[in-house]
């Protein structure tokens, strides 16, 4: 009898433990279900906020593009794109010198700013390390990125215009290159920092000098990001007006030399918008549309060139 009672008591204890375990399991399942519902709700909330932010960013951009296209497409014509400006308020002429000057200034600025910016970014990413000098360079580069463009225009005026004795393409390119270089430096440094160290180690294991590894292995691996930085910099300088007022001055004539004044689309848009004539305002919208198309064309063209080279490899 005692053994049966003991056996019966043991079974009761086991049954009680099983009930407790089942109760704990149900509690854990209920807790996990509540947490799962909370995670799903937070995920949906984060998705909704992200979509809302994208829409909030796209709406102003889209409205600007729609407004520019709506008001500027009517001004486009062969004469508008090729002829010099006519007399004030006449509604005749075009923006030919401004288009030519913009392409020349952007091209010369890129020849100055892109090599300097890319090489400086490579130095900071691959050779500089974390000493006081690289820290100072990064700090000054960040400060230069946020410097007002009119200040850079004054620097170009003092350094180039006064030295040469006239407004010129060189002065405009110098001022705009100071705007371009910090952007390319920062993007190049950050992009090359993303390249895996295994790629560098592979080059070093073959006995390749470090500079060759960087230029011919690491830099091609970061080509897409560096190109993005160049496109951002070109887009930034393409619409700058204040530095050009202080450096290239503007003219109604076509290009006559790098040491002479030249027209540019931002300057032409500013002058057309300040005139009290409806025809001038229409031409200003047309010039703004042309400027947007030029920046878009340069961006797409650069990306197509890089994609072709990558496919060829």
């Amino acid at each position: 009898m005692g053994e049966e009672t003991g056996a019966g008591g043991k079974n009761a204890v086991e049954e009680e433990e099983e009930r407790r375990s089942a109760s704990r399991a149900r509690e854990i399942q209920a807790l996990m279900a509540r947490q799962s519902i909370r995670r799903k709700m937070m995920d949906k909330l984060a998705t909704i906020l992200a979509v809302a932010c994208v829409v909030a960013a796209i709406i102003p951009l889209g409205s600007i593009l729609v407004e520019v296209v709506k008001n500027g497409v009517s001004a486009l014509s062969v004469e508008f794109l090729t002829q010099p400006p006519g007399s004030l308020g006449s509604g005749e002429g075009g923006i030919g010198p401004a288009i030519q000057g913009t392409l020349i200034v952007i091209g010369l600025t890129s020849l100055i700013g892109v090599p300097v910016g890319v090489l400086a970014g490579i130095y900071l990413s691959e050779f500089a390390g974390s000493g006081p000098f690289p820290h100072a360079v990064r700090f000054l580069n960040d400060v230069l990125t946020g410097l007002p463009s009119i200040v850079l225009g004054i620097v170009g005026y003092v350094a180039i215009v006064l030295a040469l004795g006239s407004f010129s393409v060189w002065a405009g390119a110098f001022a705009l290159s100071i705007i371009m270089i910090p952007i390319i430096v920062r993007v190049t440094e950050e992009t090359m920092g993303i390249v895996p160290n295994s790629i560098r180690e592979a080059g070093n294991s073959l006995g390749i000098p470090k500079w060759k590894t960087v230029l011919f292995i690491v830099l091609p691996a970061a080509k897409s990001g560096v190109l993005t930085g160049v496109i951002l910099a070109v887009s930034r300088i393409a619409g700058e007006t204040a530095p050009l007022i202080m450096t290239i001055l503007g003219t109604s004539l076509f290009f006559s030399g790098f040491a002479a004044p030249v027209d540019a689309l931002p300057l032409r848009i500013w002058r057309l918008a300040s005139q009290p004539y409806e025809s001038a305002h229409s031409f200003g919208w047309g010039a703004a549309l042309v400027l947007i198309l030029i920046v878009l064309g340069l961006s797409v063209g650069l990306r197509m060139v890089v994609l072709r080279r990558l496919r060829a490899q």
Side-chain angles (χ1 to χ4, degrees), residues 109 149 152-157 160 170-180 237 243-244 247:
T109 302
S149 59
L152 302 179
I154 295 173
V155 172
Y157 176 81
I160 306 297
W170 290 112
F174 173 78
L176 293 180
S177 66
I178 300 177
I179 300 175
M180 172 181 273
I237 67 170
L244 300 182
T247 54

Side-chain angles (χ1 to χ4, degrees), residues 182-197:
I183 300 174
I184 299 177
V185 170
R186 174 56 65 187
V187 175
T188 300
E189 181 186 4
E190 295 297 331
T191 303
M192 296 194 68
I194 300 175
V195 178
N197 285 327

Side-chain angles (χ1 to χ4, degrees), residues 71-88:
N71 294 287
V73 70
S74 60
L76 299 182
S77 65
V78 176
E79 179 184 1
F80 177 75
L81 298 175
T82 58
Q83 296 298 315
S87 58
L88 295 179

